[in-house]
Amino acid sequence: MTDMSGAYLEAFLEMMSAERGAAANTLQSYERDLEDALAFLRSRGTGLTDASADDLRSYLSHLAGQGFKSSSQARRLSALRQFYKFLYAEGLRTDDPTGILDAPKKARTLPKTLSIEDVTRLIGQAEAEAKSGNGDAMAKLRMHALIELLYATGMRVSELVSLPASVLAQNGRFLIIRGKGNKERLIPLSQAAIRAMRAYGEALQQAADGADSPWLFPSYGKTGHLPRQVFARDLKSLAARAGIRVAAISPHVLRHAFASHLLANGADLRAVQELLGHSDISTTQIYTHVLEERLHDLVQNHHPLAKQAKKQD
């Protein structure tokens, strides 16, 4: 039986151009993807016209084996779906073999984070500038307090910049944070964060423009407190002065560093969930790669058989 795949592919591209006004680049992409699928199917003794769902599933597995990203696999599957919809609509096939195929799952990207050394360098830079007294002393004290609080608590940046000034009156080592859904959570503070916040608070109380503000980090902006964007910009500037790659830093990256470093040093995943304010443990589980690395190192360094293998090497 003659394989009509080439002719049907040409007819499909003509339809996409004439009826849907597809751009030249789109048509080229469809043609390239479908011809690639056709070449694979012909190697299995079939073609696009007669391919079964299993044939197409094998093609997607072939792409995965070739190292194609899930996004590229999904694009190829999308082209196949459009093609078989065309064949079905034209009465050239009585079924759509792509109908039962699942789209390739996108790999879950790991959050960017910083090493403990980079965080130490960043905080050290902020502390040195705050103690120098040069330039805008208030801004430097504020940045030091922001950095220490963010890394000590893992707060969301929105929670950090909108802290009320009343936290200065708290004498304990804990901070009450109001997060998403207006839920409150209790988070311990490091001694370094307490010192930085007190030093900044004392300067704030003496400043004419900050004494009457209800916010810990007041601003003349619409919200009345420091905008997230301003903090993010100033953080990148601090990172540059500390010799840290600017593209690698953001307030959210410091939140990730807080979680990753806790887990790497033995913290329980449930405890980290509470500290981050995640309502669902599945959100926190993105950090399990840190646990997996720690467990791997634990086995390699402490299991008797692993120790014996090292001695033999």
Side-chain angles (χ1 to χ4, degrees), residues 182-194:
N182 215 28
K183 292 181 180 178
E184 290 186 344
R185 64 187 191 276
L186 194 66
I187 294 185
L189 288 174
S190 66
Q191 288 292 344
I194 292 172

Side-chain angles (χ1 to χ4, degrees), residues 77 86 122 173 216 225-226 276 298 300:
L77 178 57
F86 164 73
L122 188 70
R173 287 193 57 191
L216 179 59
H225 59 69
L226 179 70
L276 291 174
L298 184 68
Q300 292 300 315

Side-chain angles (χ1 to χ4, degrees), residues 3 12 22 51 61 66 115 131 143 188-189 197 204-205 207 226 252 279 287 304:
D3 179 19
F12 166 72
S61 297
Q66 293 293 310
S115 67
K131 288 180 177 178
M143 176 54 76
L189 288 174
M197 187 169 67
L204 182 66
Q205 292 300 318
L226 179 70
H252 210 58
S279 58
Y287 297 105

Side-chain angles (χ1 to χ4, degrees), residues 209-227:
D209 58 349
D212 298 326
S213 174
W215 307 107
L216 179 59
F217 302 109
S219 167
Y220 291 113
K222 183 171 62 176
T223 61
H225 59 69
L226 179 70

Side-chain angles (χ1 to χ4, degrees), residues 82-103:
Q82 292 295 329
F83 177 71
Y84 286 110
K85 282 181 182 178
F86 164 73
L87 293 187
Y88 182 80
E90 294 294 318
L92 301 172
R93 271 193 73 135
T94 58
D95 68 328
D96 177 0
T98 65
I100 60 172
L101 297 182
D102 294 326

Side-chain angles (χ1 to χ4, degrees), residues 135-191:
D136 190 342
M138 175 61 78
K140 291 175 179 179
L141 286 167
R142 182 182 71 182
M143 176 54 76
H144 184 214
L146 284 163
I147 293 288
E148 290 282 12
L149 283 170
L150 184 54
Y151 184 60
T153 65
M155 278 186 281
R156 299 177 180 91
V157 64
S158 57
E159 297 167 345
L160 174 65
V161 297
S162 62
L163 282 172
S166 58
V167 300
L168 292 171
Q170 298 177 14
N171 294 320
R173 287 193 57 191
F174 291 85
L175 196 63
I176 297 175
I177 299 173
R178 192 178 298 276
K180 286 185 176 180
N182 215 28
K183 292 181 180 178
E184 290 186 344
R185 64 187 191 276
L186 194 66
I187 294 185
L189 288 174
S190 66
Q191 288 292 344

